[in-house]
Protein backbone atom coordinates (compact mmCIF):
# COMPACT_ATOMS: atom_id res chain seq x y z
CA UNK A 1 0.00 0.00 0.00
CA UNK A 2 1.40 3.38 -0.96
CA UNK A 3 2.13 5.84 1.80
CA UNK A 4 -0.55 8.52 2.06
CA UNK A 5 -0.36 9.78 5.62
CA UNK A 6 2.42 10.25 8.13
CA UNK A 7 2.16 10.72 11.85
CA UNK A 8 4.99 12.32 13.80
CA UNK A 9 5.19 12.13 17.57
CA UNK A 10 7.17 12.83 20.78
CA UNK A 11 6.33 12.13 24.61
CA UNK A 12 3.22 12.03 26.73
CA UNK A 13 1.51 9.65 29.13
CA UNK A 14 -2.22 9.02 29.15
CA UNK A 15 -2.85 10.77 32.48
CA UNK A 16 -0.48 13.72 32.09
CA UNK A 17 -2.16 17.13 32.22
CA UNK A 18 -1.82 19.18 29.05
CA UNK A 19 -1.06 22.29 31.09
CA UNK A 20 2.50 21.03 31.52
CA UNK A 21 3.16 20.47 27.82
CA UNK A 22 4.56 23.94 27.23
CA UNK A 23 7.20 23.29 29.90
CA UNK A 24 8.87 20.56 27.83
CA UNK A 25 12.17 21.84 26.48
CA UNK A 26 14.90 20.51 24.20
CA UNK A 27 18.25 21.21 25.85
CA UNK A 28 20.86 20.02 23.38
CA UNK A 29 21.64 16.40 22.59
CA UNK A 30 22.82 13.16 24.16
CA UNK A 31 25.64 11.31 22.39
CA UNK A 32 25.60 7.51 22.36
CA UNK A 33 27.77 4.79 20.84
CA UNK A 34 25.73 1.93 19.42
CA UNK A 35 26.68 -1.31 17.64
CA UNK A 36 25.61 -1.91 14.06
CA UNK A 37 23.37 -4.88 13.34
CA UNK A 38 25.28 -6.07 10.27
CA UNK A 39 27.70 -7.60 12.78
CA UNK A 40 30.88 -7.09 10.80
CA UNK A 41 34.06 -6.83 12.79
CA UNK A 42 37.43 -5.21 12.14
CA UNK A 43 40.27 -7.17 13.75
CA UNK A 44 37.74 -8.79 16.08
CA UNK A 45 36.26 -5.46 17.21
CA UNK A 46 32.49 -4.97 16.62
CA UNK A 47 31.62 -1.93 14.52
CA UNK A 48 30.04 1.01 16.29
CA UNK A 49 28.42 4.22 15.20
CA UNK A 50 27.70 7.49 16.99
CA UNK A 51 24.15 8.75 17.21
CA UNK A 52 22.49 11.61 19.05
CA UNK A 53 19.17 11.79 20.85
CA UNK A 54 17.50 15.01 21.89
CA UNK A 55 18.00 15.90 25.55
CA UNK A 56 14.50 16.62 26.81
CA UNK A 57 13.85 18.58 29.99
CA UNK A 58 10.62 17.89 31.88
CA UNK A 59 9.22 19.72 34.91
CA UNK A 60 9.08 17.66 38.16
CA UNK A 61 5.29 17.53 38.18
CA UNK A 62 5.33 16.11 34.65
CA UNK A 63 7.85 13.44 35.67
CA UNK A 64 5.73 12.43 38.65
CA UNK A 65 2.59 12.01 36.57
CA UNK A 66 4.53 10.09 33.94
CA UNK A 67 5.77 7.69 36.63
CA UNK A 68 2.21 7.18 37.84
CA UNK A 69 1.12 6.44 34.28
CA UNK A 70 3.92 3.89 33.92
CA UNK A 71 2.74 2.04 37.01
CA UNK A 72 -0.89 2.04 35.87
CA UNK A 73 0.10 0.78 32.43
CA UNK A 74 2.02 -2.14 33.90
CA UNK A 75 -0.89 -3.08 36.17
CA UNK A 76 -2.86 -3.86 33.04
CA UNK A 77 -2.10 -6.78 30.76
CA UNK A 78 0.82 -5.36 28.77
CA UNK A 79 0.93 -8.41 26.50
CA UNK A 80 -2.56 -7.77 25.14
CA UNK A 81 -2.86 -5.74 21.95
CA UNK A 82 -4.69 -2.43 22.03
CA UNK A 83 -8.16 -3.06 20.61
CA UNK A 84 -9.37 -0.18 18.51
CA UNK A 85 -12.81 1.21 19.16
CA UNK A 86 -13.31 1.14 15.40
CA UNK A 87 -14.24 -2.44 14.52
CA UNK A 88 -13.83 -1.67 10.83
CA UNK A 89 -10.06 -1.30 11.14
CA UNK A 90 -7.93 -4.18 9.86
CA UNK A 91 -5.80 -6.00 12.41
CA UNK A 92 -2.66 -5.02 10.47
CA UNK A 93 -1.64 -2.35 7.98
CA UNK A 94 1.75 -1.74 6.38
CA UNK A 95 2.36 1.27 4.16
CA UNK A 96 5.04 1.67 1.53
CA UNK A 97 7.77 4.32 1.69
CA UNK A 98 8.14 4.02 -2.06
CA UNK A 99 11.60 4.84 -3.38
CA UNK A 100 12.67 6.67 -0.21
CA UNK A 101 15.69 4.82 1.25
CA UNK A 102 16.52 4.48 4.93
CA UNK A 103 18.20 7.80 5.73
CA UNK A 104 21.20 8.45 7.96
CA UNK A 105 21.23 11.51 10.22
CA UNK A 106 24.80 10.71 11.27
CA UNK A 107 26.22 12.33 14.39
CA UNK A 108 23.77 15.23 14.65
CA UNK A 109 20.50 15.75 16.51
CA UNK A 110 18.57 16.15 13.26
CA UNK A 111 16.06 13.30 13.62
CA UNK A 112 13.06 15.63 13.30
CA UNK A 113 14.24 17.12 9.99
CA UNK A 114 15.03 13.65 8.65
CA UNK A 115 11.67 12.20 9.72
CA UNK A 116 9.67 15.08 8.25
CA UNK A 117 11.55 15.15 4.93
CA UNK A 118 11.38 11.35 4.52
CA UNK A 119 7.62 11.45 5.16
CA UNK A 120 7.16 14.23 2.60
CA UNK A 121 9.36 12.42 0.08
CA UNK A 122 7.20 9.31 0.41
CA UNK A 123 4.13 11.39 -0.44
CA UNK A 124 5.81 13.29 -3.30
CA UNK A 125 6.89 10.01 -4.89
CA UNK A 126 10.22 11.39 -6.15
CA UNK A 127 12.54 9.23 -4.08
CA UNK A 128 15.19 10.87 -1.92
CA UNK A 129 14.33 14.37 -3.12
CA UNK A 130 14.23 17.01 -0.35
CA UNK A 131 17.52 18.40 0.94
CA UNK A 132 17.89 18.16 4.70
CA UNK A 133 21.14 20.16 4.55
CA UNK A 134 19.52 23.19 2.91
CA UNK A 135 16.60 23.17 5.34
CA UNK A 136 19.03 23.06 8.27
CA UNK A 137 21.24 25.82 6.82
CA UNK A 138 18.20 28.07 6.47
CA UNK A 139 17.41 27.04 10.04
CA UNK A 140 20.83 28.34 11.09
CA UNK A 141 19.95 31.77 9.71
CA UNK A 142 16.52 31.79 11.36
CA UNK A 143 17.94 30.72 14.72
CA UNK A 144 20.72 33.34 14.58
CA UNK A 145 18.13 36.02 13.96
CA UNK A 146 16.03 35.05 16.95
CA UNK A 147 13.43 32.77 15.45
CA UNK A 148 13.02 29.00 15.77
CA UNK A 149 15.74 26.38 16.44
CA UNK A 150 17.83 25.46 13.41
CA UNK A 151 17.18 21.75 13.72
CA UNK A 152 20.84 20.73 13.96
CA UNK A 153 20.42 20.15 17.70
CA UNK A 154 16.76 19.23 17.69
CA UNK A 155 13.40 20.81 17.01
CA UNK A 156 9.70 19.90 16.93
CA UNK A 157 7.92 18.43 13.94
CA UNK A 158 5.48 21.32 13.68
CA UNK A 159 8.35 23.83 13.53
CA UNK A 160 10.18 21.95 10.75
CA UNK A 161 6.99 21.62 8.74
CA UNK A 162 6.10 25.29 9.24
CA UNK A 163 9.52 26.39 7.95
CA UNK A 164 9.14 24.26 4.82
CA UNK A 165 5.62 25.49 4.22
CA UNK A 166 6.72 29.11 4.48
CA UNK A 167 10.04 29.00 2.63
CA UNK A 168 9.64 25.94 0.42
CA UNK A 169 12.09 23.10 -0.15
CA UNK A 170 15.36 22.65 -2.06
CA UNK A 171 15.91 19.45 -4.00
CA UNK A 172 19.11 17.44 -3.69
CA UNK A 173 20.26 18.23 -7.23
CA UNK A 174 20.37 21.93 -6.32
CA UNK A 175 21.99 21.06 -3.01
CA UNK A 176 24.83 19.29 -4.85
CA UNK A 177 25.28 21.78 -7.70
CA UNK A 178 24.64 25.12 -5.98
CA UNK A 179 24.86 24.40 -2.28
CA UNK A 180 23.38 26.10 0.75
CA UNK A 181 25.45 28.25 3.05
CA UNK A 182 28.71 26.92 1.68
CA UNK A 183 27.94 23.18 1.83
CA UNK A 184 26.92 20.91 -1.05
CA UNK A 185 25.89 17.88 0.93
CA UNK A 186 24.81 16.78 4.37
CA UNK A 187 27.85 16.41 6.69
CA UNK A 188 26.96 13.24 8.57
CA UNK A 189 30.12 13.40 10.69
CA UNK A 190 32.00 16.12 12.53
CA UNK A 191 30.59 19.33 13.90
CA UNK A 192 27.49 20.99 12.52
CA UNK A 193 28.15 23.93 10.14
CA UNK A 194 28.02 27.43 11.58
CA UNK A 195 27.34 28.95 8.17
CA UNK A 196 23.85 29.69 6.90
CA UNK A 197 21.82 30.67 3.86
CA UNK A 198 19.63 33.77 3.82
CA UNK A 199 15.94 33.52 2.96
CA UNK A 200 16.55 35.51 -0.24
CA UNK A 201 19.32 33.17 -1.41
CA UNK A 202 17.23 30.16 -0.38
CA UNK A 203 14.26 31.49 -2.36
CA UNK A 204 16.34 31.58 -5.56
CA UNK A 205 16.84 27.80 -5.53
CA UNK A 206 13.73 26.61 -3.65
CA UNK A 207 10.36 25.41 -4.84
CA UNK A 208 7.03 25.65 -3.01
CA UNK A 209 5.85 22.74 -0.93
CA UNK A 210 2.48 21.97 -2.48
CA UNK A 211 0.02 19.16 -2.17
CA UNK A 212 0.98 18.20 1.39
CA UNK A 213 -1.05 18.97 4.50
CA UNK A 214 0.00 18.71 8.15
CA UNK A 215 -2.64 18.11 10.81
CA UNK A 216 -1.93 17.33 14.48
CA UNK A 217 -3.19 14.16 16.14
CA UNK A 218 -1.52 15.02 19.44
CA UNK A 219 -0.33 18.63 19.68
CA UNK A 220 2.44 19.38 22.16
CA UNK A 221 0.84 22.70 23.10
CA UNK A 222 -2.79 21.67 22.83
CA UNK A 223 -4.74 21.83 26.09
CA UNK A 224 -7.58 19.66 24.81
CA UNK A 225 -8.60 16.25 26.10
CA UNK A 226 -6.74 14.53 23.28
CA UNK A 227 -4.05 13.65 25.80
CA UNK A 228 -5.90 10.38 26.24
CA UNK A 229 -3.23 8.39 24.42
CA UNK A 230 -5.53 5.40 23.97
CA UNK A 231 -7.42 7.74 21.65
CA UNK A 232 -4.13 8.89 20.11
CA UNK A 233 -3.20 5.33 19.20
CA UNK A 234 -6.67 4.73 17.81
CA UNK A 235 -6.36 7.84 15.61
CA UNK A 236 -2.89 6.75 14.47
CA UNK A 237 -4.26 3.38 13.43
CA UNK A 238 -7.25 5.01 11.73
CA UNK A 239 -4.98 7.21 9.65
CA UNK A 240 -2.96 4.11 8.69
CA UNK A 241 -0.35 5.08 11.17
CA UNK A 242 2.60 7.21 10.23
CA UNK A 243 5.61 8.74 11.87
CA UNK A 244 6.45 9.32 15.45
CA UNK A 245 9.10 10.70 17.65
CA UNK A 246 9.18 9.25 21.10
CA UNK A 247 11.29 9.26 24.23
CA UNK A 248 13.87 6.49 24.41
CA UNK A 249 14.79 5.56 27.97
CA UNK A 250 17.17 3.09 29.65
CA UNK A 251 20.22 3.63 27.47
CA UNK A 252 22.03 0.91 29.41
CA UNK A 253 19.37 -1.68 28.61
CA UNK A 254 19.39 -3.43 25.25
CA UNK A 255 19.79 -1.14 22.24
CA UNK A 256 19.07 2.48 23.26
CA UNK A 257 16.30 1.17 25.52
CA UNK A 258 14.99 -1.24 22.85
CA UNK A 259 15.05 -4.48 24.86
CA UNK A 260 12.55 -6.35 22.67
CA UNK A 261 13.31 -8.45 19.62
CA UNK A 262 11.01 -9.14 16.69
CA UNK A 263 13.11 -9.82 13.58
CA UNK A 264 16.53 -8.79 14.91
CA UNK A 265 18.03 -8.62 18.39
CA UNK A 266 16.87 -5.45 20.18
CA UNK A 267 14.87 -4.03 17.27
CA UNK A 268 11.79 -3.25 19.42
CA UNK A 269 10.90 -0.78 22.16
CA UNK A 270 8.63 -2.51 24.68
CA UNK A 271 7.44 -1.48 28.11
CA UNK A 272 8.98 -3.69 30.80
CA UNK A 273 8.96 -3.51 34.62
CA UNK A 274 12.63 -2.51 34.50
CA UNK A 275 11.95 0.42 32.18
CA UNK A 276 8.91 1.47 34.22
CA UNK A 277 11.05 1.42 37.37
CA UNK A 278 13.64 3.67 35.75
CA UNK A 279 10.86 6.04 34.62
CA UNK A 280 9.69 6.15 38.23
CA UNK A 281 13.10 6.50 39.93
CA UNK A 282 15.48 8.27 37.57
CA UNK A 283 13.91 9.45 34.32
CA UNK A 284 16.37 11.34 32.10
CA UNK A 285 14.68 11.12 28.71
CA UNK A 286 16.19 11.28 25.29
CA UNK A 287 13.83 12.37 22.53
CA UNK A 288 13.72 10.94 19.04
CA UNK A 289 11.50 11.38 15.97
CA UNK A 290 10.61 8.56 13.60
CA UNK A 291 7.96 7.63 11.02
CA UNK A 292 5.28 5.07 11.77
CA UNK A 293 4.71 3.01 8.63
CA UNK A 294 2.30 0.42 9.96
CA UNK A 295 0.88 -1.63 12.81
CA UNK A 296 0.03 -5.24 13.57
CA UNK A 297 -2.23 -6.23 16.45
CA UNK A 298 -0.92 -9.80 16.33
CA UNK A 299 2.81 -9.10 16.00
CA UNK A 300 4.94 -10.11 18.98
CA UNK A 301 8.29 -8.91 20.31
CA UNK A 302 10.10 -10.84 23.05
CA UNK A 303 12.02 -8.83 25.64
CA UNK A 304 15.38 -9.68 27.23
CA UNK A 305 13.62 -11.62 30.02
CA UNK A 306 11.60 -13.77 27.63
CA UNK A 307 8.32 -11.89 28.12
CA UNK A 308 6.08 -11.48 25.05
CA UNK A 309 4.61 -8.12 24.01
CA UNK A 310 1.74 -8.32 21.53
CA UNK A 311 0.68 -5.45 19.28
CA UNK A 312 3.43 -3.49 17.52
CA UNK A 313 3.90 -0.33 15.48
CA UNK A 314 6.45 -0.43 12.65
CA UNK A 315 8.87 2.51 12.59
CA UNK A 316 11.15 3.89 9.88
CA UNK A 317 14.24 5.28 11.59
CA UNK A 318 17.06 7.56 10.38
CA UNK A 319 20.06 5.71 11.84
CA UNK A 320 20.96 4.02 8.50
CA UNK A 321 20.13 0.49 7.42
CA UNK A 322 22.95 -0.88 9.58
CA UNK A 323 20.88 -0.77 12.76
CA UNK A 324 17.63 -2.40 13.83
CA UNK A 325 15.83 -4.47 11.23
CA UNK A 326 17.60 -3.03 8.17
CA UNK A 327 16.81 0.47 9.44
CA UNK A 328 13.33 -0.27 10.76
CA UNK A 329 12.27 -0.69 14.38
CA UNK A 330 9.13 -1.74 16.23
CA UNK A 331 7.32 -0.40 19.29
CA UNK A 332 4.71 -1.98 21.54
CA UNK A 333 1.42 -0.16 21.90
CA UNK A 334 1.87 0.32 25.66
CA UNK A 335 5.31 1.91 25.16
CA UNK A 336 3.85 4.29 22.59
CA UNK A 337 0.87 5.24 24.76
CA UNK A 338 3.12 6.04 27.72
CA UNK A 339 5.80 8.09 25.98
CA UNK A 340 4.32 9.80 22.92
CA UNK A 341 4.21 13.60 23.19
CA UNK A 342 3.70 14.86 19.64
CA UNK A 343 1.83 13.18 16.82
CA UNK A 344 0.74 14.58 13.48
CA UNK A 345 -0.57 13.37 10.15
CA UNK A 346 1.11 14.37 6.91
CA UNK A 347 -1.03 13.63 3.88
CA UNK A 348 -1.43 14.39 0.22
CA UNK A 349 -4.08 16.93 -0.73
CA UNK A 350 -5.50 18.08 -4.04
CA UNK A 351 -3.95 21.23 -5.50
CA UNK A 352 -6.17 23.00 -8.09
CA UNK A 353 -4.39 23.24 -11.42
CA UNK A 354 -1.82 20.60 -10.60
CA UNK A 355 -1.31 17.74 -13.02
Amino acid sequence: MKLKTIVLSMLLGSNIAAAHADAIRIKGTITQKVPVSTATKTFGIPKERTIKLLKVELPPSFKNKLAQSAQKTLQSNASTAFLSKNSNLPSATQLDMGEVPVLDQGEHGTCVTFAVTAAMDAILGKGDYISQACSLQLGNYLETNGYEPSGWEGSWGSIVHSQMSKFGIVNKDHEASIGCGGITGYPAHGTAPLSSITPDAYHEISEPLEGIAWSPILDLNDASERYDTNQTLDLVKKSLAQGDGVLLVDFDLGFMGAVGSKNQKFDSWVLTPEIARDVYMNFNPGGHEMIITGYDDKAVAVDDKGRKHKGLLTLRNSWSDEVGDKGNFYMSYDYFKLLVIEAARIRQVYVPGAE
Side-chain angles (χ1 to χ4, degrees), residues 109 207 223 238 272:
E207 59 191 85
K238 284 181 181 178
T272 67

Side-chain angles (χ1 to χ4, degrees), residues 124-139:
L124 292 174
K126 298 180 180 181
D128 187 9
Y129 185 74
I130 301 174
S131 165
Q132 293 87 23
C134 289
S135 175
L136 292 161
Q137 289 295 83
L138 175 61

Side-chain angles (χ1 to χ4, degrees), residues 228-250:
D228 176 359
T229 51
N230 285 295
Q231 182 184 13
T232 300
L233 180 57
D234 189 53
L235 290 172
V236 166
K237 295 172 76 175
K238 284 181 181 178
S239 64
L240 300 177
Q242 300 311 292
D244 72 308
V246 296
L247 292 186
L248 310 185
V249 297
D250 296 83

